[in-house]
């Protein structure tokens, strides 16, 4: 049974000639949340574009608006302050981006599983889209350890300097280069950071680059390989769902 037709399926998109890519038949809930089904290339591309554009807009738009408002003289300090409720040093304006990204890590995996199933390929390949998340978690864990170690080292230097002052009196003051560290890295809006704050900040600082770089590589793999897989796993790689001229002639011959 052929899934192709020589007549346009959608008058607004005459290039679609595969019924599996009919936009009217797309079920967004199934495509994004049910890993047990199959998804054609056009439906997959639409879902992936939605997830990608959502991330871009939730990051660029708030940052751009806050920057313009700041240049105009508005007080945007609250937008950049971390929200204590989530326990991560994330600016308030990027919290929607963070939660949308976590959600779309799952929905992207589901969409890839359905796409590989539709093309008769191993669905285990869909785990590739989770690599950025795993790298981000590993980077966060490593950063937390390094941040905690840095805080401990600073506290040890502070204790050593205080001990030297106590033993030698005021004349034996600690060296000049130890004075700033004895006070700790003071933030402009408050006291020195706590051990948890330093650990979380270092964790996010290491996790974000790892996640961003690996996500870009996975994005290229999705665009150049997964999204171009032919429906049913049969045929040539094509960016659209249209028929070639030879396929159109064959279909016209069958229906004659």
């Amino acid at each position: 049974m052929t899934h192709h037709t020589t007549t346009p399926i959608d008058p607004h998109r005459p290039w679609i000639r595969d019924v599996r890519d009919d936009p009217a038949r797309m079920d967004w809930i199934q495509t994004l949340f049910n890993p047990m089904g199959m998804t054609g290339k056009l439906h997959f591309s639409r879902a992936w574009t939605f997830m990608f554009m959502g991330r871009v807009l939730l990051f660029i738009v708030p940052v751009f608006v806050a920057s313009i408002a700041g240049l105009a003289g508005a007080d945007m300090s609250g937008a950049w302050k971390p929200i204590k409720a989530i326990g991560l040093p994330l600016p308030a304006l990027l919290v929607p981006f963070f939660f949308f990204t976590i959600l779309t890590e799952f929905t992207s995996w589901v969409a890839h599983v359905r796409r590989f199933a539709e093309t008769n390929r191993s669905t285990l390949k869909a785990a590739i889209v989770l690599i950025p998340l795993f790298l981000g978690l590993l980077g966060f864990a490593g950063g937390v350890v390094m941040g905690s170690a840095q805080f401990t080292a600073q506290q040890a230097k502070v204790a050593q300097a205080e001990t030297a002052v106590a033993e030698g009196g005021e004349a034996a003051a600690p060296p000049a280069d130890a004075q700033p560290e004895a006070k700790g890295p003071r933030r402009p809006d408050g006291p020195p950071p706590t051990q948890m704050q330093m650990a979380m900040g270092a964790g996010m600082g290491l996790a974000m680059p790892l996640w961003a770089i690996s996500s870009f590589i996975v994005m290229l793999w999705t665009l150049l390989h997964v999204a171009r897989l032919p429906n049913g796993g049969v045929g040539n790689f094509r960016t659209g769902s249209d028929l070639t001229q030879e396929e159109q002639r064959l279909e016209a011959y069958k229906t004659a």
Side-chain angles (χ1 to χ4, degrees):
M1 177 181 178
T2 180
H3 294 275
H4 295 86
T5 176
T6 56
T7 58
I9 296 174
D10 187 338
H12 301 290
R13 303 172 181 86
W15 60 88
I16 300 176
R17 301 296 179 87
D18 190 330
V19 294
R20 291 168 292 190
D21 288 335
D22 185 359
R25 299 174 61 180
M26 181 174 182
D27 188 331
W28 285 89
I29 301 298
Q30 294 292 321
T31 301
L32 295 176
F33 297 101
N34 181 15
M36 305 305 295
M38 299 181 181
T39 298
K41 67 164 55 178
L42 182 60
H43 296 180
F44 171 81
S45 297
R46 296 177 75 187
W48 184 88
T49 301
F50 163 75
M51 292 182 283
F52 173 76
M53 292 304 299
R55 292 186 183 185
V56 171
L57 294 177
L58 286 174
F59 182 85
I60 292 181
V61 172
V63 172
F64 177 78
V65 172
S67 300
I68 295 299
L71 293 175
D75 183 11
M76 302 301 298
S77 58
W80 297 104
K81 286 184 178 180
I83 295 181
K84 298 181 180 179
I86 62 176
L88 294 174
L90 288 172
L93 71 143
L94 291 183
V95 169
F97 165 78
F98 174 77
F99 284 106
F100 184 81
T101 298
I102 295 298
L103 174 64
T104 52
E105 289 287 349
F106 169 75
T107 56
S108 179
W109 172 78
V110 171
H112 279 75
V113 168
R114 294 173 61 93
R115 181 86 270 263
F116 282 120
E118 205 282 333
T119 58
N120 295 314
R121 286 167 168 80
S122 173
T123 57
L124 295 177
K125 293 182 179 179
I128 292 177
V129 301
L130 299 177
I131 290 178
L133 179 61
F134 291 141
L135 290 179
L137 291 175
L138 290 176
F140 181 78
V144 166
V145 172
M146 291 188 294
S148 297
Q150 183 182 4
F151 180 86
T152 302
Q154 289 180 352
Q155 291 300 108
K157 290 183 179 180
V158 171
Q160 183 179 4
E162 291 177 348
T163 302
V165 171
E167 292 179 351
E170 296 182 358
D177 57 351
Q179 292 287 355
E181 292 185 352
K183 296 180 180 180
R186 185 174 298 276
R187 295 177 299 175
D189 59 341
T194 63
Q195 182 176 10
M196 178 175 290
Q197 290 173 337
M198 286 192 64
M200 299 293 278
M204 291 299 295
L206 185 59
M208 288 302 295
L210 288 175
W211 174 83
I213 294 173
S214 56
S215 291
F216 178 76
I217 297 174
V218 171
M219 178 192 71
L220 294 179
W221 171 73
T222 297
L223 286 176
L224 301 178
H225 176 68
V226 183
R228 298 180 66 241
L229 290 171
N231 286 333
V234 179
N236 298 324
F237 282 69
R238 294 198 299 270
T239 55
S241 63
D242 56 304
L243 298 175
T244 63
Q245 292 184 352
E246 179 63 24
E247 289 171 329
Q248 291 184 23
R249 283 196 293 267
L250 289 176
E251 289 293 331
Y253 174 78
K254 292 178 182 178
T255 57

